[in-house]
């Protein structure tokens, strides 16, 4: 029978050994074992494993000496380098000098297989930042949709006896919002603000209106006649102010600058008139070999561009009575001429049926900047003063109206409606509306350009209700 002590401890001890003696011996043996491990050089007993002394080992030979982690010194430096590697690619800068890489400071070869060489790994990649266009709006914002232009005119006026003659200029819109139209022997004024029609003059049965042109202030209007005269009228009082001669035959084109009126004729000459002197003209410019059908002053009044039926475009200045430039690239009559209001010395010209091209010139050096084949006869050109665009009207064979974006010369709109050549063009004072005239004896008003303040698309509704009325 077992004793109570042995039963309580649960140990099967031999006789003569107590539990207390067992504890002391065990503690003594444990202490002795620990002493032997801490100083192996003083113990002659062998062990089943070898633990070297670090002070006597040559760990530096194997590169096993512990080094201080750069994370402890630089804080988040290692994390920052890894973040740069992920955002900008492994080639962005240098992480560490050669041979000094560490797990927290990776070399450029580490994780290189994750680099996607097919394209930038991040929207902030140097491949994007180094593009020629830089941080352009094209890459950061979607392209704007093309501006919508109404396809139909918002107003149509009947214009009986409007001539179908390529060499005449019978429509002009003043800065005071009054439209002048030459119909047969008469000139009519139509107020765009109240649609009132006024008969300005009647040249009589033996003459006819060949050209009209408002002054820039919009108070006076010049009229070129079939007999070669140039008349100046007060548009407000409907009174003739001056009559000037000098041309031998019809005066088909007129152009005002601030103080000088230029007139071109079938007699191939260009006359310059000054109302402040009593003479009919102050100078004569001879250079064309056929009828002069296009005339436009530059915006600074320094240059005068003329086009003729001899397929020539001439540029004149105030210092000589000989043309400063003689441009002969057109292969048909040059009636359409327009100076850019956005860029000095930029001139646009259009050729007739066998040419069909709009050409752009730098009048400083005479170089042709661009040429666009429109597919049909170019009758008129006009720049928008609100946006860098221009409008052209055409004859054979499509009789269309086209709006172009410059300098790309992409088509903004292609408008049709006239049944014959669109020979006449004028622009409203606010630069938003154009009026076109044709041999079909109609004047059509189109909203083609946005306002200067708001780039929003022009609306189909205008100042006047859609309808057809008579101008006389």
């Amino acid at each position: 029978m077992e004793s109570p002590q042995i039963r309580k401890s649960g140990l099967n001890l031999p006789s003569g050994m107590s539990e207390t003696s067992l504890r002391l011996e065990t503690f003594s043996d444990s202490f002795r074992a620990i002493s032997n491990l801490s100083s192996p050089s003083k113990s002659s007993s062998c062990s089943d494993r070898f633990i070297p002394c670090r002070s006597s080992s040559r760990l530096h030979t194997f590169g096993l000496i512990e080094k201080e982690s750069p994370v402890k010194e630089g804080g988040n430096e290692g994390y920052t380098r890894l973040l740069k590697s992920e955002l900008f690619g492994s080639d962005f800068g240098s992480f560490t000098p050669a041979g000094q890489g560490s797990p927290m400071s990776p070399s450029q070869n580490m994780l290189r297989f994750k680099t996607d060489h097919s394209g930038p790994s991040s929207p902030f990649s140097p491949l994007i930042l180094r593009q020629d266009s830089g941080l352009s709006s094209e890459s950061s914002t979607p392209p704007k949709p093309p501006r919508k232009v109404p396809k139909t005119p918002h107003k149509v006026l009947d214009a009986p006896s409007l001539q179908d003659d390529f060499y005449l200029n019978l429509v002009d819109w003043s800065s005071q919002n009054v439209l002048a139209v030459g119909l047969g022997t008469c000139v009519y004024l139509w107020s765009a603000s109240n649609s009132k029609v006024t008969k300005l003059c009647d040249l009589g049965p033996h003459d006819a209106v060949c050209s009209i042109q408002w002054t820039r202030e919009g108070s006076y209007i010049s009229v070129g006649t079939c007999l070669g005269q140039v008349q100046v009228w007060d548009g407000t009082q409907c009174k003739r102010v001056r009559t000037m001669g000098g041309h031998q035959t019809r005066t088909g084109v007129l152009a005002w600058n601030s103080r000088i009126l230029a007139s071109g004729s079938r007699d191939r000459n260009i006359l310059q008139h000054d109302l402040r002197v009593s003479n009919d003209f102050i100078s004569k410019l001879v250079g064309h070999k056929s009828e002069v059908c296009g005339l436009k002053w530059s915006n600074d009044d320094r240059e005068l561009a003329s086009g003729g039926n001899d397929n020539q475009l001439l540029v004149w200045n105030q210092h000589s009575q000989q043309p400063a430039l003689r441009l002969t690239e057109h292969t048909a009559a040059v009636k359409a001429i327009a100076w850019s209001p956005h860029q000095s010395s930029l001139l646009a010209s259009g050729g007739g049926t066998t040419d069909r091209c709009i050409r752009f010139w730098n009048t400083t050096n005479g170089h042709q900047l661009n040429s666009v084949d429109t597919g049909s006869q170019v009758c008129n050109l006009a720049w928008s003063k609100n946006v860098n665009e221009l409008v052209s009207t055409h004859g054979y064979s499509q009789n269309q109206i086209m709006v172009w974006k410059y300098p790309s010369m992409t088509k903004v709109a292609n408008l049709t409606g006239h049944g014959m050549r669109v020979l006449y063009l004028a622009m409203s004072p606010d630069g938003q509306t154009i009026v076109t005239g044709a041999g079909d004896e109609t004047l059509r008003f189109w909203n083609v350009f946005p306002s200067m303040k708001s780039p929003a698309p022009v609306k189909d509704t205008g100042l006047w209700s859609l309808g057809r009325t008579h101008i006389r």
Side-chain angles (χ1 to χ4, degrees), residues 88-148:
F88 301 103
S90 59
D91 294 334
F92 188 84
S94 60
F95 293 99
T96 58
Q100 296 185 12
S102 68
M104 297 304 295
S105 180
S107 68
Q108 293 185 2
N109 292 325
M110 182 173 288
L111 301 179
R112 181 174 288 274
F113 68 91
K114 286 183 176 289
T115 303
D116 183 9
H117 295 284
S118 62
S121 59
S122 165
F124 304 100
S125 170
L127 296 178
I128 293 179
L129 298 177
R130 285 195 296 262
Q131 286 181 350
D132 293 339
S133 59
L135 297 175
S136 63
S137 58
E138 295 180 359
S139 61
S140 60
T141 59
K144 294 181 179 179
R147 179 167 54 82
K148 293 183 179 180

Side-chain angles (χ1 to χ4, degrees), residues 319-361:
H319 306 293
S320 174
Q321 292 188 347
Q322 297 297 320
L325 291 176
R326 188 180 295 270
L327 309 172
T328 59
E329 277 76 1
H330 283 291
T331 58
V334 182
K335 176 190 178 185
I337 300 174
W339 293 89
S340 170
H342 310 287
Q343 182 177 341
S344 62
S345 303
L346 176 58
L347 177 65
S349 61
T353 306
T354 59
D355 183 81
R356 307 175 303 178
C357 291
I358 299 175
R359 303 177 189 271
F360 297 90
W361 313 89

Side-chain angles (χ1 to χ4, degrees), residues 76-232:
N76 293 329
E77 182 181 352
Y79 172 78
T80 302
R81 290 174 177 172
L82 287 174
L83 182 60
K84 287 181 180 179
S85 175
E86 290 297 322
L87 288 177
F88 301 103
S90 59
D91 294 334
F92 188 84
S94 60
F95 293 99
T96 58
Q100 296 185 12
S102 68
M104 297 304 295
S105 180
S107 68
Q108 293 185 2
N109 292 325
M110 182 173 288
L111 301 179
R112 181 174 288 274
F113 68 91
K114 286 183 176 289
T115 303
D116 183 9
H117 295 284
S118 62
S121 59
S122 165
F124 304 100
S125 170
L127 296 178
I128 293 179
L129 298 177
R130 285 195 296 262
Q131 286 181 350
D132 293 339
S133 59
L135 297 175
S136 63
S137 58
E138 295 180 359
S139 61
S140 60
T141 59
K144 294 181 179 179
R147 179 167 54 82
K148 293 183 179 180
V149 176
K151 297 294 185 181
T152 57
H154 64 78
K155 182 76 174 178
V156 179
L157 294 179
D158 281 322
S161 301
L162 186 62
Q163 297 298 306
D164 181 31
D165 192 329
F166 178 80
Y167 300 99
L168 304 185
N169 295 270
L170 298 176
V171 178
D172 195 29
W173 204 331
S174 77
S175 58
Q176 297 187 12
N177 211 18
V178 177
L179 182 69
V181 184
L183 301 177
T185 63
C186 301
V187 176
Y188 291 89
L189 307 181
W190 180 80
S191 174
S193 58
N194 56 21
S195 298
K196 180 181 177 181
V197 178
T198 304
K199 183 178 179 179
L200 176 69
C201 66
D202 188 342
L203 301 182
H206 304 293
D207 208 345
V209 178
C210 295
S211 57
I212 55 177
Q213 180 75 40
W214 287 99
T215 60
R216 292 182 178 177
E217 296 76 14
S219 301
Y220 296 90
I221 182 172
S222 56
V223 180
T225 74
C226 187
L227 297 179
Q229 290 183 340
V230 177
Q231 301 181 6
V232 179

